[in-house]
């Protein structure tokens, strides 16, 4: 199996340049933003926050390999990335948050969310027997749970959203000089929230973790983020003045 493809969403139409993007959300303080530049000083400062007690060969290895993420961080659709490292119940919890923007050119957030839900439902469950699916019917979330995926249509303070939790097996390239044999395969959980703006674009919050036994920890983090998403101009203005709210961005330049 492979990782989920680019977030499922209604097909964008027309010219994708110049979509005004104004949104904000609060991310837990435990998430350390990753630099989007190759500056060794910035990466060193990031490692100081992520791994304050690691030195010697461990720090050298991290400094040599973490900047390899840079091509992903510089993708136009990626707005923000951050990493969480903690110890939960005696074991490591490692997660990477990616905030992405996708032009969807919709005029109704509800219709956009319904389209995202239908596309994901087809992707996740088209080959899963109905006997292996369980319905979820809660006050603020309705959807399906399968063997490897959970999909929910959610009611958020900001409006409709789509939440998914997926487990995948991924093959990771082995760093040069580290070990022998075929590249290792690891289980990775993806917890994702798609929130359509009132019109034109959708914001995706995705947390991926190879520490799959802590998936619920990251699902709780995403739920906290979900409750703070806002497209309200006053809230965005407050964020720009240096409040606790983060993740604002003005233009979304697309590719025609």
């Amino acid at each position: 199996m492979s990782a989920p493809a680019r977030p499922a969403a209604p097909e964008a139409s027309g010219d994708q340049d110049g979509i005004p993007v104004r949104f904000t959300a609060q991310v837990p303080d435990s998430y350390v933003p990753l630099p989007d530049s190759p500056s060794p000083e910035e990466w060193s400062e990031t490692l100081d926050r992520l791994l304050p007690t690691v030195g010697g060969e461990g720090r050298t290895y991290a400094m040599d390999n973490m900047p390899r993420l840079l091509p992903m961080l510089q993708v136009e659709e990626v707005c923000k990335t951050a990493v969480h490292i903690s110890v939960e119940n005696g074991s490591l919890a490692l997660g990477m948050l990616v905030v992405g923007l996708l032009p969807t050119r919709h005029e109704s957030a509800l219709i956009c969310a319904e389209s995202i839900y239908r596309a994901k439902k087809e992707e996740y469950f088209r080959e899963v027997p109905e006997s292996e699916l369980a319905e979820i019917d809660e006050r603020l979330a309705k959807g399906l749970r399968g063997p490897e995926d959970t999909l929910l249509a959610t009611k958020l303070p900001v409006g409709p959203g789509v939440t998914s939790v997926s487990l995948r097996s991924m093959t990771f390239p082995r760093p040069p000089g580290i070990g022998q044999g075929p590249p290792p395969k690891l289980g990775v959980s993806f917890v994702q929230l798609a929130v359509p703006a009132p019109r034109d674009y959708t914001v995706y919050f995705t947390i991926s973790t190879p520490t799959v036994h802590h998936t619920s920890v990251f699902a709780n983090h995403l739920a906290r983020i979900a409750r703070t998403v806002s497209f309200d101009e006053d809230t965005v203005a407050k964020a720009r003045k240096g409040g606790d709210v983060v993740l604002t961005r003005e233009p979304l330049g697309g590719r025609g």
Side-chain angles (χ1 to χ4, degrees):
M1 290 178 291
S2 60
R6 181 176 177 168
E11 183 177 352
S13 61
D15 181 10
Q16 295 182 4
D17 291 328
I19 296 176
V21 174
R22 297 179 183 86
F23 78 98
T24 184
Q26 291 180 346
V27 173
D29 292 340
S30 59
Y31 283 79
V32 177
L34 295 181
D36 57 4
S37 80
S39 166
E41 292 79 11
E42 290 187 30
W43 283 95
S44 180
E45 291 174 3
T46 299
L47 284 175
D48 287 342
R49 294 183 61 189
L50 279 173
L51 305 169
T53 62
V54 175
E57 292 184 2
R59 183 179 178 86
T60 300
Y61 177 82
M63 276 295 293
D64 288 343
N65 286 278
M66 283 192 67
R68 294 184 181 187
L69 296 170
L70 196 57
M72 184 194 74
L73 309 185
Q74 293 177 329
V75 173
E76 182 181 12
E77 290 83 0
V78 172
C79 176
K80 194 78 172 180
T81 57
V83 171
H84 167 100
I85 299 177
S86 66
V87 175
E88 305 287 340
N89 298 321
S91 62
L92 176 70
L94 170 64
M96 182 172 181
L97 168 69
V98 176
V99 183
L101 304 172
L102 189 64
T104 42
R105 290 295 188 185
H106 61 270
E107 296 183 356
S108 165
L110 178 59
I111 293 176
C112 181
E114 290 174 345
S115 298
I116 294 171
Y117 183 92
R118 287 195 300 269
K120 283 181 171 286
K121 181 180 178 181
E122 172 68 13
E123 176 190 353
Y124 293 162
F125 304 129
R126 64 174 175 267
E127 297 181 0
V128 178
E130 287 192 15
S131 60
E132 297 183 21
L133 295 177
E135 288 193 9
I136 300 172
D137 188 356
E138 300 177 358
R139 186 172 65 89
L140 298 177
K142 301 181 187 298
L144 294 170
R145 179 181 292 112
E148 296 180 342
D149 301 279
T150 298
L151 178 63
L152 296 170
T154 50
K155 295 181 180 179
L156 307 173
V158 73
V162 179
T163 301
S164 59
V165 181
S166 301
L167 177 63
R168 298 291 184 266
S169 176
M170 298 185 64
T171 300
F172 290 86
R174 191 185 297 278
I178 304 296
Q180 297 179 347
K185 284 189 175 182
L186 292 176
V188 179
S189 287
F190 296 86
V191 186
Q192 185 178 83
L193 170 68
V195 187
R199 58 178 299 146
D200 289 334
Y201 67 96
T202 298
V203 184
Y204 285 86
F205 300 86
T206 306
I207 302 176
S208 56
T209 174
T211 53
V212 296
H213 52 293
H214 289 311
T215 299
S216 61
V217 170
F218 295 103
N220 287 335
H221 292 175
L222 194 64
R224 290 168 58 186
I225 294 171
R227 291 192 289 269
T228 69
V229 178
S230 177
F231 302 99
D232 176 72
E233 291 188 7
D234 290 340
T235 304
V236 173
K238 180 181 177 181
R240 291 200 186 101
K241 292 179 180 178
D244 294 334
V245 187
V246 296
L247 300 175
T248 61
R249 176 170 167 170
E250 277 292 340
L252 177 59
R255 298 180 178 88

